[in-house]
Amino acid sequence: MVGEAGDIVELPSAVESYLPDVVVLEGQSQIGHVQELTSIDAALVVVGDVDTTTRWIGLTQANVHALVHCDDPEEELVEAVRRASDGTGYVSPGLSGALLRFTRAMLPRHLSAVPTHAPLTSRESEVLQLVRKGMANKEIARRLGLSEKTIKFHVSNVLAKAHVASRAQLIASGAAM
C-alpha cells in the first residue's frame, strides 16, 4: 500500500500524489461518484455487495477493472488487484452470479445477427472468436503473436463492422460475420 484517501473527494489528489497502478475502493464510497472516478488514472478495484454489482455498468465508465464481494476471502481481493494491475479484469465468485443475472436482465429477449457493411478479414474473424471466448486484448496478442495495439485495431474494426459500441454488445449480439 502506498497511500490512503479519507473519502472520494480526497481520492484524486491522493492518486496524483502517489501515482498507484491500482486503487481499491469500498463499494459504498463510490456510489454516485462515477464522474469523479473517471478522472482516476489507475485501475480500480471495487469491493462491495450484490447491490454494488447492479451499478457495474455505471462503474465501467470509470476505470474499474475488478469487482470483489465484501464477504469473499482476502485471497479474492489479492487476485483482483493482480488482475486489475495486468489489465485482464476480475469478478469475484461472490458477485459473478449476481452480475450474470443482471446482465441477462439487461439483454433483449431475442438476439439476432448484426448485419455488417463489410466482411471481416481472416485476422478480424480470428480476433472475434477469441473475444467471444472472453479473452482480453493482452491475452489475444500473446496467443496470436501480435502487439496489443494491433489487437485493439482489429477489435475496433470488428466493432465498427458489427455496428456495436462495446465487446459486451458484440458478444451479446451473437454477430454472425
Side-chain angles (χ1 to χ4, degrees):
M1 185 165 103
V2 295
E4 192 172 12
D7 60 25
I8 199 81
V9 175
E10 295 176 14
L11 184 61
S13 62
V15 169
E16 192 173 307
S17 296
Y18 297 115
L19 302 173
D21 294 323
V22 178
V23 172
V24 178
L25 297 168
E26 189 272 321
Q28 296 306 315
S29 68
Q30 52 67 36
I31 308 271
H33 294 280
V34 172
Q35 188 62 36
E36 289 90 337
L37 295 177
T38 59
S39 67
I40 303 298
D41 189 26
L44 300 175
V45 174
V46 176
V47 179
D49 56 16
V50 172
D51 193 42
T52 302
T53 305
T54 61
R55 294 177 178 85
W56 76 277
I57 289 181
L59 294 173
T60 59
Q61 294 171 349
N63 201 15
V64 173
H65 279 72
L67 296 169
V68 180
H69 194 280
C70 54
D71 292 334
D72 279 341
E74 285 179 19
E75 295 82 32
E76 296 300 330
L77 179 58
V78 171
E79 182 65 18
V81 169
R82 284 189 183 123
R83 301 278 296 275
S85 178
D86 72 17
T88 58
Y90 185 76
V91 176
S92 74
L95 293 177
S96 60
L99 190 56
L100 285 170
R101 284 188 300 279
F102 178 72
T103 303
R104 275 193 298 272
M106 298 302 291
L107 292 174
R109 293 289 176 222
H110 300 287
L111 298 176
S112 57
V114 176
T116 62
H117 285 301
L120 297 180
T121 66
S122 60
R123 182 62 84 184
E124 289 167 347
S125 294
E126 195 172 10
V127 169
L128 172 62
Q129 294 310 312
L130 297 175
V131 166
R132 284 185 172 153
K133 290 182 180 181
M135 295 177 75
N137 288 349
K138 269 187 185 178
E139 295 172 298
I140 296 170
R142 250 183 266 132
R143 167 88 56 97
L144 300 179
L146 300 170
S147 73
E148 191 173 351
K149 187 175 181 178
T150 300
I151 297 305
K152 286 180 183 179
F153 173 77
H154 288 308
V155 170
S156 292
N157 286 345
V158 171
L159 292 172
K161 289 178 179 182
H163 303 287
V164 294
S166 71
R167 294 166 83 102
Q169 288 175 333
L170 183 66
I171 293 167
S173 72
M177 296 187 232

